[in-house]
Amino acid sequence: MRAPGEMEMVKVLKVIKESSSISTVLFSPVHIGRWSGLVPGQFLMVWIPGTDEVPMSVSFLKREPFRMGMTVQNIGEATQALCSLKQGDWIGIRGPYGYGFNLPSNVDKDLIIGVSGGVGAASTILAMEWARSEDFRTVNLVGARDRSLLVFRDRWRSISDEVRFSTDDGSFGHKGLVGDLLNMELLAMSDHERQRTMVFTCGPEIMMVQVKRLLDQFGVEGQFSLERFMKCGIGLCDSCSASGKRVCMDGPVFSGDAISLLRDFGRSHRDRSGRPLPLKECVR
Amino acid sequence: MEGPKLDVEVAGIRFLNPLILASGVADETGASMAEAVRMGAGGVVTKSLSLEPREGHPNPCVVEFPYGILNAMGLPNPGVRGYSDEVEEYLSTTRGSAPIIASVFGSSIEEYAMAAGAVKDLGVHAVEINGSCPNARGLGLQFGQDPLVIEDLVKEVKATVPIPVFFKLTPACSSIVDLAQAAQMGGADGLVAVNTMPAMKIDVRTRMPVLTNVTGGLSGPALRPVGVRCVYQIANSGKVHLPIIGAGGISTWEDALEYIMAGASAVQIGTAVTWGNLDVFSKIKEGMMTYMIEERIGRISDMVGSAKGVRS
Ligand SMILES: Cc1cc2nc3c(=O)[nH]c(=O)nc-3n(C[C@H](O)[C@H](O)[C@H](O)COP(=O)(O)OP(=O)(O)OC[C@H]3O[C@@H](n4cnc5c(N)ncnc54)[C@H](O)[C@@H]3O)c2cc1C
Ligand SMILES: Cc1cc2nc3c(=O)[nH]c(=O)nc-3n(C[C@H](O)[C@H](O)[C@H](O)COP(=O)(O)O)c2cc1C
Ligand code: FES
């Protein structure tokens, strides 16, 4: 799905504090037609006047009355400014950009497993709600560093046939990596079930590398949502370049096959000037 | 019967077709530029390179309009050395099928010349002097609006590199012919016309300019008539005899032919690749071929500068 996007100014309706460092910002655009076709996994470029413009996933989309939202983890200047927004403040949004998650046909697949890491949940939650509304069985595996970063707990429960949480420090759910949960899940399935499964994942790239390895090992299909430094969001500046693909436009969601061709996946990012950096320096 | 031929020669460099990927667009990496060639481009221009890396301006640096794009990227680039792997990857992937032109800039004439000297060693086929970027104070545009500076700048770069040197012109000037003539006096082998037009956007809710840099450069369809006019004026001035590469708002074969008939030997395409529309190259090639068959034209060069007004 692609749509050219002039910036639209929207008024903040409400800011919901999800945890000490994560907030959801709700707003209602006027040009509904443009946004209502948004596919979960697509993103916005969000202008915080006077601060920055940053890419954000859409974590909330509701019709009648039309509402959209994004869920932001405060990790720097722009995200801090987003989390500090007040009702009535103006922000600018452009989009929706890129390719979102692709819901398979019900004939081929019947189970969607969501694997979410940290604030990556902001992207997968909408996709998993969509899968559920299209009558797929849904399993959600949700991980974070600690309990305070584990967002949408009730929302996950309400849209999942099965939901499991993990934290690195064991402060909530399984102690360990969300990939461990996926491993257990896939181990318990028959070959036939695995073939009828699709995995949607978004989170730190190291986590997705582990997910990719497991999916390859078990022969399960998956879709991966990537992050790279974004300036234009529309495929011009190439700042989001990964192995010759532009993540803002060829992604941010890539199929497992496409990911296999991205040599940079799990290895390297680029900084604002375009210099390649090894992944570990970029992961927050 | 043989079909029409699309290949062109500009300043001694052969291109299989006259469509070149413009500087600063989809050219962060060797792989991206090679992809443009795979999709049909006859050549590419690198993003503008300086000696040292530059991060560019903070976001927002792009504004979309229905008729074009306003950008203030601010010349982000990893520096000539940091970019060498990209050129290497491009050359090894494309194996000489499409020339690569390195765009350079600096904050003084010496820096321009040093950057040009450094890119020459990467194995590029030509240098394009970006004397026309509106987006970085002290870099680019102030060099490109003064004929005396242009002449010195081109002279310095020519003295540094043995490969062809193009000078890229700004449309923001009172006489494009004066600027083109200055580049010719300096010894340029060709011209590129045009770069983006300085412009801006104000948000009425916050009463703020949207671009962090306040102003940016307008590209895309809105720029096309300006670019065509610039190329036509240079080609018909009777004073400038350099080959011209046209640029500004080209997205269809008619657009490309307009530039060629105005006097361009080849054209560059930037904004039209928005949304990954790299198939713009093959579509334009197809359209040109059909036109040339219909009009019984054998070569692109037969059309260069063929547009003549009653009073030119
Ligand atoms: C497609 C996409 C969707 C995203 N969705 C979400 C989301 O739903 N929720 C969320 O909290 N975060 C999301 N992010 C990440 C978010 O954009 C960054 O956290 C944010 O830009 C950080 O800005 P800052 O000024 O607060 O931090 P800074 O201190 O400026 O930087 C911290 C980190 O953020 C990265 N960053 C800064 N600016 C950008 C930029 N323009 N593009 C990409 N990365 C940048 C830096 O590389 C660095 O790693 C998404 C990123 C992408 C690419
Ligand atoms: C995002 C963007 C970045 C650009 N960066 C550069 C650059 O680094 N150097 C340069 O000489 N021109 C740059 N340009 C200008 C283009 O090369 C081209 O001259 C101009 O955009 C007109 O062509 P177009 O309408 O086909 O884009 C840039 C243009 C855009 C849209
Ligand atoms: S952000 Fe500019 S090309 Fe992707």
Side-chain angles (χ1 to χ4, degrees):
Chain A
M1 265 287 302
R2 291 179 191 144
E6 264 183 270
M7 183 179 287
E8 176 174 349
M9 295 303 288
V10 293
K11 235 182 198 171
V12 172
L13 285 179
K14 198 172 169 187
V15 180
I16 302 161
K17 219 169 160 52
E18 306 278 357
S19 76
S20 58
S21 64
I22 300 180
S23 296
T24 295
V25 180
L26 295 178
F27 47 90
S28 58
V30 176
H31 301 288
I32 294 176
R34 168 175 166 194
W35 304 104
S36 56
L38 178 141
V39 175
Q42 286 190 302
F43 70 97
L44 314 174
M45 289 300 289
V46 181
W47 180 43
I48 313 113
T51 307
D52 201 347
E53 185 185 43
V54 291
M56 282 289 150
S57 304
V58 175
S59 63
F60 187 86
L61 187 69
K62 213 175 137 222
R63 287 152 238 265
E64 290 170 47
F66 193 80
R67 297 257 188 287
M68 279 167 69
M70 56 196 167
T71 300
V72 185
Q73 181 178 13
N74 175 357
I75 60 158
E77 200 187 346
T79 46
Q80 152 108 54
L82 281 170
C83 290
S84 318
L85 286 170
K86 298 273 171 306
Q87 186 183 345
D89 286 347
W90 289 98
I91 53 176
I93 55 173
R94 313 189 266 132
Y97 290 141
Y99 286 96
F101 289 100
N102 195 350
L103 215 52
S105 100
N106 297 71
V107 183
D108 302 329
K109 310 275 178 198
D110 49 25
L111 172 66
I112 311 283
I113 303 182
V115 184
S116 314
V119 80
S123 163
T124 44
I125 186 116
L126 201 65
M128 293 308 291
E129 278 178 354
W130 181 38
R132 174 71 166 215
S133 72
E134 296 288 321
D135 293 332
F136 284 89
R137 278 195 308 123
T138 53
V139 170
N140 278 296
L141 311 175
V142 188
R145 268 203 316 273
D146 61 50
R147 176 190 184 101
S148 77
L149 299 173
L150 210 53
V151 288
F152 308 141
R153 268 173 274 176
D154 292 337
R155 219 171 135 192
W156 283 125
R157 288 189 186 104
S158 74
I159 59 155
S160 308
D161 291 290
E162 181 193 335
V163 57
R164 305 190 57 194
F165 297 100
S166 73
T167 49
D168 296 0
D169 65 357
S171 53
F172 194 87
H174 167 79
K175 180 176 188 322
L177 303 173
V178 71
D180 304 342
L181 298 179
L182 179 62
N183 190 27
M184 289 184 242
E185 203 66 39
L186 295 178
L187 270 175
M189 287 162 67
S190 70
D191 270 343
H192 178 70
E193 285 170 323
R194 288 180 198 133
Q195 262 163 32
R196 299 191 55 78
T197 298
M198 171 69 81
V199 170
F200 287 173
T201 183
C202 183
E205 204 152 307
I206 314 187
M207 174 203 101
M208 291 196 289
V209 167
Q210 188 193 4
V211 170
K212 176 80 171 69
R213 204 177 314 117
L214 287 168
L215 297 191
D216 288 348
Q217 182 188 325
F218 286 99
V220 175
E221 279 184 71
Q223 297 175 27
F224 303 74
S225 180
L226 248 60
E227 279 186 24
R228 285 296 183 271
F229 202 94
M230 288 183 187
K231 294 187 177 181
C232 74
I234 55 177
L236 276 181
C237 73
D238 217 12
S239 81
C240 62
S241 204
S243 304
K245 295 287 174 200
R246 262 143 277 152
V247 172
C248 69
M249 174 197 90
D250 298 314
V253 178
F254 290 92
S255 71
D257 289 343
I259 282 281
S260 301
L261 298 174
L262 293 186
R263 257 183 308 140
D264 288 352
F265 176 65
R267 293 203 181 89
S268 101
H269 287 223
R270 281 171 194 272
D271 69 8
R272 284 161 216 249
S273 73
R275 269 180 304 189
L277 296 174
L279 180 67
K280 63 175 182 335
E281 288 184 45
C282 306
V283 167
R284 41 177 197 268
Chain B
M1 195 195 93
E2 270 186 50
K5 294 225 165 50
L6 290 184
D7 61 314
V8 295
E9 191 177 306
V10 189
I13 305 170
R14 279 212 88 68
F15 297 87
L16 287 180
N17 71 67
L19 313 177
I20 301 167
L21 181 69
S23 178
V25 175
D27 55 6
E28 179 89 60
T29 71
S32 316
M33 292 184 288
E35 179 68 5
V37 171
R38 199 180 67 80
M39 297 296 284
V44 301
V45 187
T46 68
K47 58 174 35 195
S48 290
L49 303 169
S50 48
L51 279 177
E52 297 304 323
R54 265 177 69 90
E55 290 194 343
H57 295 310
N59 286 0
C61 49
V62 165
V63 179
E64 289 173 67
F65 296 104
Y67 41 82
I69 298 273
L70 183 57
N71 93 81
M73 303 311 303
L75 301 169
N77 80 93
V80 177
R81 266 186 311 277
Y83 198 75
S84 61
D85 289 349
E86 311 302 343
V87 175
E88 202 171 295
E89 177 168 9
Y90 174 83
L91 291 172
S92 69
T93 315
T94 55
R95 295 161 185 262
S97 62
I100 177 169
I101 302 171
S103 172
V104 298
F105 71 98
S107 57
S108 65
I109 289 182
E110 294 69 38
E111 271 188 36
Y112 267 95
M114 279 156 74
V119 294
K120 170 205 63 182
D121 298 333
L122 306 182
V124 299
H125 300 88
V127 165
E128 179 178 296
I129 301 175
N130 179 2
S132 42
C133 179
N135 290 331
R137 239 160 263 131
L139 304 165
L141 194 52
Q142 101 284 10
F143 289 99
Q145 286 174 323
D146 181 342
L148 294 177
V149 179
I150 292 179
E151 189 181 332
D152 284 349
L153 177 54
V154 176
K155 246 186 214 150
E156 263 319 291
V157 173
K158 273 300 285 179
T160 316
V161 298
I163 50 181
V165 171
F166 290 89
F167 188 83
K168 186 168 180 182
L169 296 158
T170 177
C173 59
S174 52
S175 166
I176 192 89
V177 174
D178 288 353
L179 303 188
Q181 225 183 336
Q184 177 173 269
M185 300 275 279
D189 300 282
L191 301 166
V192 180
V194 291
N195 208 318
T196 55
M197 187 74 185
M200 73 183 287
K201 157 83 185 168
I202 292 170
D203 167 54
V204 297
R205 292 294 184 184
T206 54
R207 304 181 193 190
M208 285 177 70
V210 173
L211 294 172
T212 306
N213 190 50
V214 181
T215 60
L218 185 65
S219 63
L223 182 63
R224 194 175 69 242
V226 178
V228 171
R229 184 266 299 170
C230 289
V231 171
Y232 186 87
Q233 284 184 329
I234 300 167
N236 289 281
S237 64
K239 298 173 183 162
V240 184
H241 312 289
L242 299 175
I244 306 166
I245 300 178
I250 297 171
S251 62
T252 67
W253 61 269
E254 287 105 322
D255 302 346
L257 286 184
E258 252 194 275
Y259 272 93
I260 289 169
M261 292 176 184
S265 303
V267 296
Q268 293 182 0
I269 296 171
T271 306
V273 309
T274 313
W275 318 118
N277 288 331
L278 285 168
D279 57 355
V280 64
F281 295 106
S282 60
K283 285 193 179 141
I284 294 183
K285 279 198 291 190
E286 252 168 61
M288 278 182 167
M289 291 287 271
T290 309
Y291 175 87
M292 289 166 78
I293 292 167
E294 283 169 6
E295 301 284 333
R296 298 171 178 278
I297 295 167
R299 311 193 71 95
I300 293 285
S301 55
D302 297 342
M303 293 185 286
V304 174
S306 58
K308 289 286 177 256
V310 180
R311 356 164 133 178
S312 59

